[in-house]
Amino acid sequence: MRNMKQIYRCAGTMGLAVVLLSLSACSDFWDPETEDEFNGDQGFTANTEMYTGFLGIMTKMQDVGDKEILLTETRGELIEPTEESSNELIALNNYDSNLQTNSYANPQGYYEVIIACNDYLENMRQYKSRPNVDMSAWQCLVASALRTKVWTYKTLAEIYGRAVWFDDPIHEVTDIQSGDKFQMMDLAQLIDKCLATLDAGFDGVSSDADIDWYEWLDPTHSVSLSSSQYRKWNYMVPAYAGLYAELCLWKGAVLDAANQDATTYYKKAADLMLAALGKEINVTADPGSNVYWLPSAATPGHYSPIWNNSQPYPYEAVSAIIYDYTNNQTNTLLKHFSNEYPNKYLLRPSANGKARFLSAAFNPGATTNDTRYKCVFGTSSGQDYISKFRPVGSTARVNAFQDDCHIYIYRATQYHMMLCEALNHLKRFTALNAVLNTGVKAGEDDNCFHPEQAEWEGFASTVDPTKSDWTGTANWGTRRYPSLGIRGCFTGLVDRTLMDNTHELGEMGTMKFNDLALLDESMLEFAAEGKVYPMMNRMAVRYADLSIVADRVCGKYENEAQAASVRSKIMAGDNWVPFDLQFK
């Protein structure tokens, strides 16, 4: 087996030493002070090495954290290069067919995450037989590494439409070659492999196990969870519910395209999302004021801090890649989007993309006072910029070089949106409209929550199944912040039109109409987060209709010839980023 120092020493580039340390006395998990170094040649020999070894994977995750944003947003519907931009970004924006030397298009960083995961899992397999192994921690860390690997493959699939699957430890990305151990898989094969991997787990461990870093690092709870610096570490690993549900949506799209029944997968996605959301919405410790994970009247006031905060924001955080510039853990989002020195202002919002937010046809009821509009866009020195990751002059992020904003893998509103997509394909149109537009309401109206109806399966309270925590009628009478819906929580916005029956357009036509409405809403809610373009691709797969991508992307090109050229390329299949790994 290779010398494990090569992987775990990667932590050094981010201010992390791969080391033995006394975890119970650790004052700063990301910057431990010790000279005892993990000897990778011997594999893991102590429980502490399981944890410090896992940091090697997390630093590789930090390296690719901004990659999907910069790669897909540049090809997406909102962002365009500035006059100061680079040839590589311009090539992405132009949908150039030869991107072999383009560093943004190169998937090497993702494969390095996979290599780190494979290496770690093999070492954990060997360490399991040691008499001193902490089996509880072992199981949770194994599951965490496995989910990170699957998330990475899911990301490759949604960007490139294909990837090379391998499970054996290798030294470098250049070791990937033709052979039985390295399988080039297309999108459908990758989705199946990802789901099968999560279902199988690893060496007897279920893939849904989670480690509570707060409990481990501060078992005496010397600092409350809400105040603890360790709280953010619980966000580091892709959440099982979000990852599995998103894969189910992809699998559903593949089956829909083949005219096969996908109900099982949409039902699984809905069940996972409802269970995860319900767990957070029904928090009885402070039910009168709890607004976690629920679009409500409190959402507008909590929207901007989702990004401009020292750590992932609990109101929205599910999973996130975290950074800390004081430990040299940074990403390049500010470098690309900000026009403040020392940033480069390489990318900006297009005029057409910005106009969508104010279009009555695209965003009914929107004005410049809309919370999301004000959060996404700013203007400084006459230049439009993406302000989501750092408003210019923000007191929340004082220094323009403080480029350590966290990057969400999953956030709560994304869970609501994935639930909407699943509900649409289960033909639960009333519940879909409630989650997207109006909120889940209590009452006698046919559009209100009725626990006996299959339409509302999963929305009932686990404490009182005749009521719903979404409506505020369960457990505490009138909830201070009941569900208002993804759109309904923002003052001034009105309902986005959805189809509530299949009579006019037929079953598939109705679901396509609603899917495209969800996609358009995602263009507003997840602007510049690297989540919209993959969703476009999923819709294009489901309906075998690449115009879904082209119609939304091509509007940003002011030059008609360029718009026509890009449309032609997308319609020819260049919705996937072209990159050849060039097997040996």
Side-chain angles (χ1 to χ4, degrees):
M1 182 175 294
R2 57 166 298 194
N3 184 339
M4 289 294 293
K5 287 183 183 178
Q6 292 182 18
I7 281 185
Y8 296 108
R9 275 186 177 276
C10 73
T13 64
M14 306 299 288
L16 306 176
V18 177
V19 293
L20 297 174
L21 71 166
S22 174
L23 296 173
S24 61
C26 178
S27 61
D28 189 343
F29 181 66
W30 289 98
D31 192 21
E33 295 182 2
T34 176
E35 295 180 356
D36 295 326
E37 186 176 280
F38 164 52
N39 186 349
D41 296 322
Q42 299 176 13
F44 298 150
T45 60
N47 287 320
T48 52
E49 293 175 3
M50 295 192 302
Y51 300 105
T52 53
F54 188 77
L55 291 184
I57 298 174
M58 292 297 98
T59 57
K60 290 297 185 183
M61 283 277 282
Q62 288 175 326
D63 288 344
V64 299
D66 57 10
K67 188 173 184 67
E68 186 170 22
I69 293 176
L70 298 174
L71 178 55
T72 66
E73 291 293 338
T74 305
R75 293 164 61 89
E77 84 295 348
L78 176 63
I79 303 298
E80 66 182 11
T82 66
E83 289 75 12
E84 292 80 17
S85 198
S86 68
N87 289 334
E88 287 191 335
L89 290 169
I90 292 171
L92 291 178
N93 186 67
N94 291 341
Y95 278 71
D96 285 3
S97 58
N98 185 359
L99 299 175
Q100 285 300 117
T101 61
N102 192 301
S103 62
Y104 295 90
N106 192 330
Q108 178 173 332
Y110 290 117
Y111 285 105
E112 289 178 354
V113 176
I114 294 166
I115 290 171
C117 289
N118 286 345
D119 234 342
Y120 182 81
L121 289 168
E122 180 58 31
N123 272 267
M124 291 292 272
R125 189 199 304 274
Q126 296 178 19
Y127 182 60
K128 181 181 180 181
S129 61
R130 296 260 182 173
N132 61 331
V133 64
D134 180 340
M135 282 306 300
S136 176
W138 185 91
Q139 291 172 351
C140 292
L141 288 167
V142 161
S144 296
L146 192 67
R147 290 206 304 276
T148 301
K149 174 180 175 177
V150 170
W151 171 84
T152 307
Y153 270 116
K154 185 272 303 182
T155 304
L156 285 168
E158 65 191 13
I159 297 175
Y160 299 93
R162 62 176 188 162
V164 181
W165 190 284
F166 57 99
D167 295 312
D168 291 345
I170 62 174
H171 288 74
E172 305 289 347
V173 175
T174 53
D175 292 334
I176 298 175
Q177 54 190 291
S178 299
D180 294 340
K181 294 182 179 180
F182 303 94
Q183 296 179 281
M184 176 64 81
M185 296 184 177
D186 62 19
L187 174 75
Q189 293 170 316
L190 282 170
I191 299 305
D192 284 344
K193 186 68 172 179
C194 286
L195 286 169
T197 300
L198 291 179
D199 287 339
F202 181 86
D203 203 9
V205 177
S206 174
S207 61
D208 63 354
D210 279 312
I211 190 166
D212 190 331
W213 296 91
Y214 168 67
E215 290 290 339
W216 167 56
L217 292 170
D218 187 10
T220 64
H221 296 183
S222 61
V223 178
S224 68
L225 177 62
S226 61
S227 302
S228 175
Q229 62 175 317
Y230 304 132
R231 179 178 194 165
K232 59 187 175 184
W233 292 321
N234 283 341
Y235 300 123
M236 290 192 298
V237 179
Y240 173 85
L243 179 58
Y244 203 103
E246 190 174 18
L247 287 167
C248 283
L249 295 178
W250 274 105
K251 177 64 175 177
V254 171
L255 290 175
D256 286 338
N259 293 316
Q260 297 178 25
D261 183 19
T263 303
T264 299
Y265 293 97
Y266 292 125
K267 176 68 163 55
K268 179 67 172 180
D271 289 348
L272 284 168
M273 293 295 87
L274 283 165
L277 289 167
K279 182 179 179 181
E280 295 298 323
I281 291 169
N282 181 24
V283 178
T284 57
D286 189 14
S289 61
N290 173 56
V291 295
Y292 284 8
W293 290 33
L294 187 72
S296 69
T299 297
H302 290 283
Y303 200 77
S304 180
I306 292 173
W307 296 273
N308 300 295
N309 204 36
S310 60
Q311 60 180 328
Y313 202 44
Y315 290 95
E316 270 283 293
V318 179
S319 303
I321 301 171
I322 57 176
Y323 301 84
D324 183 350
Y325 85 102
T326 62
N327 282 329
N328 297 317
Q329 300 168 22
T330 61
N331 56 61
T332 65
L333 293 182
L334 283 186
K335 172 187 174 183
H336 285 80
F337 290 127
S338 174
N339 64 352
E340 290 178 291
Y341 180 83
N343 298 304
K344 304 300 183 182
Y345 190 55
L346 304 175
L347 297 170
R348 66 188 173 202
S350 65
N352 186 74
K354 190 174 180 180
R356 282 195 182 102
F357 281 72
L358 301 178
S359 166
F362 192 88
N363 186 21
T367 68
T368 54
N369 289 323
D370 179 47
T371 299
R372 292 186 296 189
Y373 178 85
K374 292 190 294 184
C375 180
V376 176
F377 304 112
T379 302
S380 179
S381 302
Q383 296 175 316
D384 288 339
Y385 65 94
I386 294 292
S387 64
K388 210 168 203 177
F389 306 108
R390 181 186 185 273
V392 171
S394 168
T395 57
R397 194 171 294 280
V398 176
N399 298 310
F401 59 80
Q402 195 169 327
D403 47 359
D404 59 355
C405 60
H406 40 270
I407 296 173
Y408 288 105
I409 299 172
Y410 294 110
R411 59 185 182 92
T413 305
Q414 190 177 356
Y415 271 28
H416 285 259
M417 193 66 74
M418 288 197 290
L419 173 60
C420 284
E421 188 174 338
L423 291 172
N424 181 40
H425 289 272
L426 294 171
K427 296 185 283 295
R428 294 166 62 178
F429 300 131
T430 300
L432 161 63
N433 185 64
V435 177
L436 178 66
N437 284 322
T438 64
V440 180
K441 301 181 183 300
E444 298 304 319
D445 188 276
D446 289 341
N447 293 322
C448 294
F449 167 77
H450 293 288
E452 74 281 0
Q453 295 179 357
E455 182 79 27
W456 298 103
E457 180 184 351
F459 286 88
S461 169
T462 55
V463 177
D464 181 352
T466 68
K467 298 178 180 179
S468 174
D469 300 303
W470 293 61
T471 67
T473 58
N475 305 329
W476 49 77
T478 302
R479 187 191 187 105
R480 189 182 305 173
Y481 295 112
S483 158
L484 292 181
I486 294 172
R487 287 186 63 80
C489 69
F490 295 108
T491 303
L493 295 186
V494 296
D495 292 355
R496 186 176 289 280
T497 301
L498 297 171
M499 299 295 293
D500 62 1
N501 63 76
T502 61
H503 304 316
E504 182 179 349
L505 299 178
E507 187 170 289
M508 210 59 180
T510 298
M511 288 187 284
K512 183 176 183 180
F513 182 94
N514 291 342
D515 266 346
L516 297 187
L518 295 176
L519 176 57
D520 288 347
E521 188 65 28
S522 293
M523 291 164 60
L524 305 173
E525 177 63 34
F526 307 117
E529 294 182 47
K531 302 182 185 303
V532 175
Y533 196 79
M535 188 175 180
M536 285 186 193
N537 280 339
R538 184 162 68 247
M539 299 302 179
V541 167
R542 177 176 288 139
Y543 299 106
D545 184 1
L546 289 170
S547 69
I548 291 172
V549 180
D551 288 348
R552 286 157 180 78
V553 168
C554 292
K556 74 178 182 181
Y557 301 99
E558 296 182 3
N559 181 286
E560 292 184 5
Q562 185 181 19
S565 173
V566 170
R567 176 176 290 276
S568 176
K569 292 174 182 177
I570 292 174
M571 296 303 293
D574 282 350
N575 56 310
W576 307 115
V577 174
F579 194 93
D580 186 357
L581 277 180
Q582 299 179 333
F583 282 156
K584 292 181 181 178

